[in-house]
Amino acid sequence: MKANPKQRLFYLSQNSYEMLNSLAKKEHKSKSAMLRILILAKNYENVLQELQKSNEILTEMLYQISKYGSNLNQIAYHLNTDISTTKQAGETIIPLMNEVKELLNHNKKIIENLLKRGKTNGKTTNNN
């Protein structure tokens, strides 16, 4: 579908007009073209915000995975060195496994909340 350009009138302060004029000259564009470019830049800002949210989710996931790795290393260490009997193995491993389970559940809730927040923000962003 071809754009249907319409002429619009709006007012700028002298300072804003000079900034627009300077930017248009620098970019070798008309003032109208420069305004369109600046308006479209807002769309890129929204994309960057979505990427930022995704990065926050991934960062949290990596942090949680690192914690799981640490707990698994503790389990492996105890299995290889500290444990001499089956009873001692149960006493050592069960609390560590419960801690891993709690971390997994906590991480699941955090990720679900981040994803819900991202979807909610994405819907409002797409409607603008």
Side-chain angles (χ1 to χ4, degrees), residues 3-11 31-32 35-36 39:
N4 186 8
K6 294 194 177 12
Q7 187 174 4
R8 302 287 186 233
L9 175 66
F10 62 94
Y11 298 93
K31 290 183 278 292
S32 293
L35 283 171
R36 287 189 296 273
I39 290 168

Side-chain angles (χ1 to χ4, degrees), residues 3-118:
N4 186 8
K6 294 194 177 12
Q7 187 174 4
R8 302 287 186 233
L9 175 66
F10 62 94
Y11 298 93
L12 294 173
S13 68
Q14 184 63 34
N15 188 33
S16 295
Y17 178 79
E18 289 171 4
M19 288 173 61
L20 175 63
N21 201 30
S22 173
L23 188 56
K25 283 181 182 178
K26 178 181 171 188
E27 297 294 322
H28 305 289
K29 306 273 184 198
S30 69
K31 290 183 278 292
S32 293
M34 200 69 240
L35 283 171
R36 287 189 296 273
I37 290 169
L38 292 170
I39 290 168
L40 290 174
K42 181 67 175 168
N43 289 336
Y44 296 117
E45 180 184 338
N46 292 338
V47 170
L48 291 175
Q49 288 174 352
E50 291 300 317
L51 287 173
Q52 176 74 25
K53 290 174 198 164
S54 295
N55 285 341
E56 289 172 11
I57 291 169
L58 290 174
T59 300
E60 179 64 26
M61 288 175 66
L62 288 173
Y63 172 72
Q64 294 296 331
I65 289 170
S66 173
K67 288 170 61 174
Y68 304 147
S70 175
N71 285 335
L72 289 174
N73 283 338
Q74 288 178 7
I75 292 168
Y77 173 80
H78 288 295
L79 283 174
N80 291 327
T81 59
D82 289 347
I83 300 169
S84 58
T85 67
T86 305
K87 182 180 178 190
Q88 191 177 11
E91 291 171 356
T92 303
I93 293 173
I94 291 173
L96 288 172
M97 291 304 290
N98 286 334
E99 185 178 343
V100 169
K101 183 178 177 181
E102 287 175 25
L103 284 171
L104 284 169
N105 287 332
H106 178 70
N107 184 45
K108 181 180 176 185
K109 290 176 185 175
I110 289 172
I111 292 171
E112 286 172 351
N113 288 336
L114 288 170
L115 289 172
K116 285 178 187 175
R117 199 170 67 211

